[in-house]
Amino acid sequence: MDRASRPVVAEFDAVHRHYRMGENVVRALDGVSVRIHQGDYFAIMGRSGSGKSTMLNILGCLDRPTAGRYLVGGRDVSQLDDDALSEVRGREIGFIFQSFNLIPQLTVLENLEVPLFYQGRVGAESRRKAEHLAERVGLGKRLEHKPLELSGGQQQRVAIARALMNDPLFLLADEATGNLDSNTEQEILALFDDLRRDGVTIVVVTHNQKVADRAEFTLWLRDGRVERLDDNRRPAEAAP
Amino acid sequence: MIRDSWRIVKLGLKSLMLHKLRSSLTTAGILFGVASVIAMLAVGEGASQQALEQYRDMGVTNVLVRSVRPEETQQSSSNMWSVLDYGITYAEADRIQNLLPQSQVVRVREVQRGVMRGEAFRVTVVVGTQPEFLEVSNMKLAEGRWLTDLDLRNQENVCVLGHSLARLLFPLENPIDQTILAGTEDRFRVVGVLAAQGRAAGPNGTTYDECAFVPLTSSRRRFGDTIRNLTTNRFELTELHEVKVKLASSDQVEGAATVLREMLRPAHQTRGDTEITVPLELLQQEEESKRMFNIVLAVIASISLLVGGIGIMNVMLATVTERTREIGIRRALGAKKKHVVQQFLVEAAVLSALGGLVGVALGMVVPRVITARFDVKTVVLPEHVLLAFCISAAVGVVFGIYPAWRAANMDPVEALRHE
Ligand SMILES: Nc1ncnc2c1ncn2[C@@H]1O[C@H](COP(=O)(O)OP(=O)(O)O)[C@@H](O)[C@H]1O
Ligand SMILES: [Mg+2]
């Protein structure tokens, strides 16, 4: 399907995020506008201090813009209160972190159920879903294991499965392969490619050119502004 | 809903298991607080029940006037043969009846005698009294009959035996219509046996179970008014040892006690040879002192639970700091502040409730040990146990509020960045 005809899942409309540091104002984001359509595979790159983390936090509804609008699935969330933002995170966003961030005292199954628990949706169905997703990331036999009994790559697979539990509008991955060796990195990236083929929207923040190269678009940030937006699609693919 | 609650509790347990030693040490404060409170309450309750039982047995509608042997002066004790004259008289008993016409007045004489039947012998108290004694003392007959007005009028040589005395003198036979010997020459025919009272109440450390009961008039005729006290070897002139006054209802007790005190004061106050006992007053005093005891206990309990609670707060603050990252993760995955509060409150409550649970177990064992070792009556009331447990869980919640609040108000971004 034509990209333009797919719905916009996340939209930055002149988003600013300023930090006041005494007399100075740090413009971590300084008027960023971008549209992410359903099924897009986006990489956000830039030098250290360019605003990547800030953008990720706002994309993930962990933070709010100081000016401008941010729309998730067409809904303006830039003015929502803490509870409402939690709700949006829980329903619409799937987080994948650099350090996996599984909860150590919980089993794989229980970790997978956490996102649904906060929506009061834990039960037989959530269990089936967890089993299904664990199967999909290749960990169907590890449901009763604790995270620390798994390798880094396996933990990150669990984290990916967890991010998919709530059928999010998009996945948000923060240096998802930063803690993995290059073989494992390739496996995870291949899994992303798989998900992408199934229509999952993916946004990755990364330093790593190899990671960014797998994405369709690379958004380059510099000093809180969009420096450029690269279209990495092969011409055949890009041409509608 | 219930499944979710159980899930939160289970999560709390799992998180506590991350630091088994630390968690157990933290619960120790609560544990010993709860255990000692339950144990102390059990001891207090036991003592109080015992006292209350005793006073209730004396009769809450009764006022008891007893004769008390006065302190002997050197002069009087120097003469072995002088007669010690003290106590309440027949005339006074009659006046009491006149002053309180609605009441039942029972006259009691207590004469110490060796009582014998065949080989069996026992020094005990032969109680001379009237038919009303049975009702006023709230005692029951097991066999035969009780003393009657006719027995008194005829000064019959009949007796009714207390339960354990009957057992002792007649281990095998039926005592009814048998004869016992009191002292060296006075024979009494047994006409009845009392049911076991199992009470401490009775004259001079002897329980009524061990006494023999004879008509008041027979006691006077057979033993005389002047009696040699077997303990002090002195002759004593005492007409009555006790007058029991039973009022129609307990709200007349106070007034009657005042009347009796007024009446007896002129003749007896300086010698101090009578004593008025008002079981109802003792009962009220006991209840008052029990209330005081409970207040003191509540203060001690509060202090120990406060200490336990501070321990819990301390550990929960440490836990929250250690698990900052987990809090960030949960927030990112959709947890609202209230969910985080809930999680840490439940964890604190589980921690202290575990302490409370073990404390309850310990608190129920300790009184048994005390009873077995020191022969002290203890009573563990279920409501005390429940109260102690609920308070221990509540302590966890109260002292968990601040740590949970801290956890919930962390900035998710900061929390996720935390190492
Ligand atoms: N909480 C904050 N308070 C003040 N300044 C901040 C804060 N977070 C980020 N910044 C500043 O915002 C700018 C962008 O930071 P960041 O988004 O972390 O960049 P990147 O992730 O690309 O390295 C930096 O100059 C940084 O110092
Ligand atoms: Mg950064």
Side-chain angles (χ1 to χ4, degrees):
Chain A
M1 204 177 10
D2 181 18
R3 176 175 186 248
S5 64
R6 283 183 259 134
V8 176
V9 292
E11 177 174 359
F12 266 39
D13 179 12
V15 167
H16 291 255
R17 178 66 170 97
H18 296 177
Y19 292 103
R20 192 171 297 278
M21 304 289 284
E23 294 290 282
N24 304 331
V25 173
V26 179
R27 296 161 180 267
L29 290 183
D30 197 16
V32 173
S33 294
V34 65
R35 280 191 182 155
I36 299 167
H37 288 259
Q38 193 196 328
D40 280 355
Y41 189 173
F42 253 78
I44 298 172
M45 290 196 78
R47 284 192 310 212
S48 180
S50 59
K52 301 185 297 296
S53 297
T54 306
M55 182 164 180
L56 181 97
N57 290 339
I58 294 176
L59 275 171
C61 291
L62 291 164
D63 194 10
R64 273 179 293 236
T66 38
R69 297 192 314 151
Y70 172 40
L71 292 87
V72 176
R75 174 186 179 207
D76 188 353
V77 299
S78 31
Q79 304 301 324
L80 295 183
D81 67 12
D82 191 89
D83 274 4
L85 281 181
S86 299
E87 192 87 27
V88 175
R89 291 195 296 268
R91 291 191 186 282
E92 316 290 12
I93 298 168
F95 283 92
I96 300 161
F97 304 93
Q98 177 170 0
S99 45
F100 324 136
N101 278 352
L102 300 175
I103 298 171
Q105 66 268 35
L106 302 184
T107 63
V108 167
L109 174 66
E110 288 166 331
N111 265 289
L112 291 180
E113 285 179 324
V114 169
L116 295 190
F117 175 72
Y118 291 119
Q119 297 167 44
R121 286 164 59 194
V122 165
E125 200 193 328
S126 70
R127 200 196 153 95
R128 264 199 304 281
K129 187 156 196 175
E131 283 166 356
H132 167 75
L133 286 171
E135 199 70 52
R136 174 153 187 200
V137 300
L139 288 169
K141 303 217 156 29
R142 304 297 175 107
L143 283 173
E144 298 305 327
H145 286 240
K146 292 280 175 70
L148 293 179
E149 297 161 11
L150 304 177
S151 71
Q154 287 173 322
Q155 289 188 53
Q156 195 59 304
R157 286 162 182 276
V158 175
I160 292 168
R162 181 178 66 184
L164 292 167
M165 280 295 285
N166 56 347
D167 300 313
L169 281 177
F170 54 93
L171 288 187
L172 210 48
D174 182 12
E175 294 286 7
T177 57
N179 281 11
L180 301 174
D181 62 59
S182 57
N183 281 340
T184 320
E185 175 172 57
Q186 286 309 313
E187 286 171 29
I188 296 295
L189 291 177
L191 183 55
F192 279 172
D193 289 343
D194 265 7
L195 294 173
R196 159 77 188 81
R197 263 194 295 283
D198 291 348
V200 176
T201 313
I202 303 172
V203 180
V204 300
V205 171
T206 184
H207 275 106
N208 189 333
Q209 189 62 54
K210 274 190 292 179
V211 173
D213 285 345
R214 309 285 280 249
E216 294 171 301
F217 300 98
T218 307
L219 182 80
W220 289 89
L221 288 181
R222 186 193 176 96
D223 297 334
R225 293 166 184 268
V226 177
E227 193 181 26
R228 65 174 196 277
L229 179 63
D230 287 348
D231 189 339
N232 309 332
R233 291 175 294 184
R234 272 167 275 133
E237 207 181 323
Chain B
M1 186 62 215
I2 288 175
R3 195 179 41 212
D4 281 5
S5 315
W6 168 235
R7 212 180 164 86
I8 296 171
V9 171
K10 215 168 66 177
L11 171 70
L13 282 169
K14 280 189 177 177
S15 305
L16 293 171
M17 293 298 274
L18 289 176
H19 299 278
K20 292 190 190 69
L21 181 63
R22 187 173 79 180
S23 300
S24 343
L25 288 178
T26 308
T27 58
I30 299 285
L31 190 160
F32 289 118
V34 167
S36 57
V37 166
I38 292 178
M40 283 193 282
L41 277 171
V43 171
E45 187 64 32
S48 158
Q49 277 193 12
Q50 210 161 24
L52 293 180
E53 225 166 79
Q54 188 187 337
Y55 301 144
R56 217 167 278 134
D57 284 347
M58 291 178 177
V60 285
T61 56
N62 289 357
V63 177
L64 312 173
V65 185
R66 282 198 71 83
S67 300
V68 181
R69 180 167 354 103
E71 292 290 318
E72 290 187 78
T73 61
Q74 287 226 306
Q75 194 186 11
S76 66
S77 62
S78 62
N79 186 351
M80 271 281 289
W81 302 103
S82 73
V83 173
L84 189 62
D85 175 1
Y86 69 89
I88 189 163
T89 62
Y90 290 99
E92 284 169 331
D94 294 341
R95 274 180 58 208
I96 291 173
Q97 183 71 82
N98 288 337
L99 283 171
L100 304 166
Q102 308 294 331
S103 63
Q104 277 183 299
V105 177
V106 179
R107 297 150 184 85
V108 181
R109 294 192 81 218
E110 294 159 1
V111 179
Q112 213 177 18
R113 279 287 183 274
V115 176
M116 198 158 50
R117 153 77 195 178
E119 300 283 278
F121 175 81
R122 174 69 175 265
V123 175
T124 186
V125 176
V126 178
V127 178
T129 190
Q130 300 168 274
E132 296 83 355
F133 180 94
L134 197 66
E135 187 200 328
V136 169
S137 304
N138 193 22
M139 291 175 14
K140 299 252 175 329
L141 203 64
E143 273 180 82
R145 64 170 181 85
W146 176 241
L147 307 172
T148 63
D149 284 324
L150 203 64
D151 292 333
L152 264 80
R153 205 172 315 137
N154 297 341
Q155 303 176 358
E156 295 282 3
N157 294 322
V158 293
C159 73
V160 174
L161 300 180
H163 189 261
S164 51
L165 182 63
R167 279 269 181 98
L168 181 93
L169 298 181
F170 301 95
L172 302 169
E173 313 153 73
N174 182 349
I176 305 293
D177 282 335
Q178 306 283 347
T179 303
I180 62 165
L181 182 66
T184 49
E185 50 194 2
D186 303 305
R187 291 176 193 282
F188 293 91
R189 183 168 58 87
V190 179
V191 294
V193 175
L194 290 173
Q197 312 294 317
R199 295 171 188 156
N204 301 329
T206 311
T207 69
Y208 281 137
D209 278 339
E210 300 163 304
C211 293
F213 299 83
V214 302
L216 182 65
T217 50
S218 315
S219 168
R220 191 175 194 186
R221 196 181 101 173
R222 305 300 295 242
F223 305 134
D225 283 335
T226 305
I227 302 157
R228 201 166 84 190
N229 185 314
L230 295 184
T231 324
T232 59
N233 236 352
R234 286 285 308 274
F235 283 100
E236 296 179 2
L237 176 62
T238 311
E239 294 189 2
L240 292 171
H241 291 85
E242 185 177 48
V243 174
K244 295 179 193 274
V245 183
K246 184 182 176 69
L247 287 312
S249 73
S250 57
D251 40 85
Q252 296 174 11
V253 166
E254 204 176 326
T258 311
V259 168
L260 291 179
R261 285 192 179 109
E262 288 298 319
M263 187 203 109
L264 294 172
R265 180 175 298 149
H268 297 283
Q269 191 185 28
T270 43
R271 293 192 64 203
D273 63 343
T274 60
E275 185 183 79
I276 296 184
T277 307
V278 187
L280 186 68
E281 284 176 4
L282 294 175
L283 199 75
Q284 286 160 349
Q285 280 165 16
E286 176 56 33
E287 274 164 359
E288 180 60 31
S289 70
K290 182 179 164 186
R291 200 157 44 238
M292 284 308 296
F293 178 78
N294 284 348
I295 289 171
V296 171
L297 203 58
V299 170
I300 296 172
S302 312
I303 292 171
S304 74
L305 289 173
L306 183 75
V307 172
I310 289 170
I312 285 190
M313 181 147 144
N314 197 11
V315 158
M316 288 310 295
L317 284 172
T319 300
V320 165
T321 306
E322 283 168 7
R323 285 157 65 197
T324 300
R325 176 65 79 97
E326 177 188 331
I327 295 162
I329 300 167
R330 289 179 178 278
R331 296 282 277 136
L333 298 181
K336 295 175 182 167
K337 285 183 179 180
K338 70 167 189 205
H339 293 124
V340 177
V341 167
Q342 195 176 45
Q343 178 185 341
F344 284 96
L345 273 190
V346 167
E347 196 168 319
V350 166
L351 189 62
S352 62
L354 281 180
L357 217 57
V358 182
V360 163
L362 191 62
M364 287 171 73
V365 170
V366 167
R368 283 164 179 267
V369 175
I370 291 174
T371 301
R373 283 288 307 240
F374 304 106
D375 195 27
V376 172
K377 178 171 175 164
T378 57
V379 178
V380 178
L381 291 179
E383 57 261 42
H384 289 166
V385 172
L386 195 68
L387 184 77
F389 177 74
C390 290
I391 288 177
S392 72
V395 163
V397 173
V398 168
F399 286 87
I401 285 175
Y402 176 63
W405 180 85
R406 280 250 299 238
N409 281 286
M410 285 177 178
D411 175 27
V413 173
E414 299 285 334
L416 278 168
R417 207 180 290 153
H418 193 266
E419 270 317 309

